[in-house]
Amino acid sequence: NTTISGGTSQTRYKASFTYTGQDGVISNSGYDRYQGSISLHQALHKNLKMRLNLTYFEDDKYGQTASRSLDSTTGYQTYLMYRTWAFRPVTLKNYRPNADLDETDDEYNDMYDGNTLNPIISNSNEDKHERRKSLVGNVRFDWTIIKGLKFQTQAGIKRLSTETENFYNSLTYNGRPKSGNSFGVNADYAMSQLNEWINENTLTYNNRSGYHVYDALIGFTMEGKTQKSYGYKTIQIPNEDMGITVMDDG
């Protein structure tokens, strides 16, 4: 976390940068976040002042979500913790109480439950990311035209984009060869984007003459919003060793 601030009688500024990195409790999962912000107050003239604020962040949440089902058709059986607790030893033909959960020998992969796959191996081979980028900014100008008459205009923007990508090779629950899985090795990508903007303008007049006080206010506001999203999925990807970079080959 780094912060810089300072200024003069005409200028005040503050800038900061923050990084957060955390490994998840579940293997092959975690969270990274980068955030920066800047604030500037500037006297452009004795009657004109500006204020600017900008905030930007990027984050990446990767790995398996324990509270999310992998397959709606089998329900609770596909939750990560259920699959972990149920895998050894009750679903195996041969019982070895001292064996490691991440063993990959044929004896321990020859299971009679067709909906079960070694959860440690499956989880370590999944490539799952959810990335977000956000930019929020606003700027304001205050102009004292004459004594008692002031004009203020301010504008703001907000932009948020979210990308999700998932890749399942043949060692994962969603990508392994099995009856009922016509997708084989597969991958999917989705993107959504939200853009908002607003502009507010006000003209105020305040004056006093003797026992009389005059107040007047006029203004108008404009705003807009756009949103779009798209995504695609590919199946039967032949070169799984290349990961999601070759999803176009599916």
Side-chain angles (χ1 to χ4, degrees), residues 9-27:
S9 60
Q10 302 295 315
T11 304
R12 287 182 297 155
Y13 65 87
K14 181 178 180 180
S16 65
F17 174 79
T18 303
Y19 167 72
T20 303
Q22 181 176 350
D23 292 330
V25 176
I26 298 172
S27 62

Side-chain angles (χ1 to χ4, degrees), residues 49-106:
K49 298 179 180 179
M50 179 195 72
R51 295 184 180 184
L52 173 68
N53 296 283
L54 289 173
T55 300
Y56 177 80
F57 81 78
E58 289 187 19
D59 64 12
D60 181 9
K61 180 174 64 175
Y62 57 92
Q64 178 64 260
T65 301
S67 60
R68 183 176 299 171
S69 172
L70 294 181
D71 188 344
S72 61
T73 60
T74 52
Y76 66 90
Q77 298 182 35
T78 64
Y79 284 93
L80 178 61
M81 299 311 298
Y82 178 91
R83 290 185 288 127
T84 303
W85 292 325
F87 183 69
R88 293 271 176 95
V90 295
T91 61
L92 298 177
K93 291 181 177 180
N94 302 301
Y95 175 51
R96 288 165 51 194
N98 297 323
D100 292 332
L101 187 60
D102 58 356
E103 283 190 5
T104 59
D105 57 276
D106 293 338

Side-chain angles (χ1 to χ4, degrees), residues 9 24 43 52 67 117 140 145 147 150 152 176 188 216 227 236 238:
S9 60
L52 173 68
S67 60
L117 179 70
R140 190 178 94 181
I145 302 173
K147 182 179 178 180
K150 297 181 179 180
Q152 181 185 99
R176 65 174 176 148
D188 60 81
Q227 189 169 7
Q236 301 296 338

Side-chain angles (χ1 to χ4, degrees), residues 41-224:
H41 292 189
Q42 178 69 48
L44 303 174
H45 188 269
K46 65 178 181 179
N47 294 330
L48 181 61
K49 298 179 180 179
M50 179 195 72
R51 295 184 180 184
L52 173 68
N53 296 283
L54 289 173
T55 300
Y56 177 80
F57 81 78
E58 289 187 19
D59 64 12
D60 181 9
K61 180 174 64 175
Y62 57 92
Q64 178 64 260
T65 301
S67 60
R68 183 176 299 171
S69 172
L70 294 181
D71 188 344
S72 61
T73 60
T74 52
Y76 66 90
Q77 298 182 35
T78 64
Y79 284 93
L80 178 61
M81 299 311 298
Y82 178 91
R83 290 185 288 127
T84 303
W85 292 325
F87 183 69
R88 293 271 176 95
V90 295
T91 61
L92 298 177
K93 291 181 177 180
N94 302 301
Y95 175 51
R96 288 165 51 194
N98 297 323
D100 292 332
L101 187 60
D102 58 356
E103 283 190 5
T104 59
D105 57 276
D106 293 338
E107 180 182 2
Y108 269 76
N109 284 326
D110 184 18
M111 297 170 292
Y112 59 78
D113 183 357
N115 289 323
T116 306
L117 179 70
N118 187 319
I120 302 301
I121 295 176
S122 177
N123 181 70
S124 63
N125 280 275
E126 293 175 1
D127 186 6
K128 301 169 65 69
H129 289 268
E130 179 180 313
R131 300 183 178 93
R132 298 185 304 165
K133 298 179 182 180
S134 174
L135 174 65
V136 178
N138 61 77
V139 61
R140 190 178 94 181
F141 293 92
D142 295 282
W143 179 25
T144 302
I145 302 173
I146 58 175
K147 182 179 178 180
L149 183 63
K150 297 181 179 180
F151 175 71
Q152 181 185 99
T153 181
Q154 57 184 345
I157 60 168
K158 178 181 179 181
R159 179 169 183 170
L160 175 64
S161 65
T162 303
E163 292 180 295
T164 59
E165 57 183 37
N166 303 294
F167 178 79
Y168 304 101
N169 66 22
S170 59
L171 294 177
T172 64
Y173 182 87
N174 283 339
R176 65 174 176 148
K178 66 174 182 178
S179 61
N181 179 20
S182 60
F183 292 160
V185 177
N186 64 91
D188 60 81
Y189 173 86
M191 191 280 287
S192 64
Q193 190 174 92
L194 172 67
N195 294 289
E196 298 178 330
W197 64 271
I198 186 171
N199 173 236
E200 297 178 336
N201 303 272
T202 58
L203 182 66
T204 59
Y205 179 72
N206 178 269
N207 200 4
R208 185 183 187 95
S209 178
Y211 295 103
H212 303 283
V213 177
Y214 302 96
D215 283 304
L217 170 66
I218 59 174
F220 67 92
T221 300
M222 301 181 295
E223 60 182 315

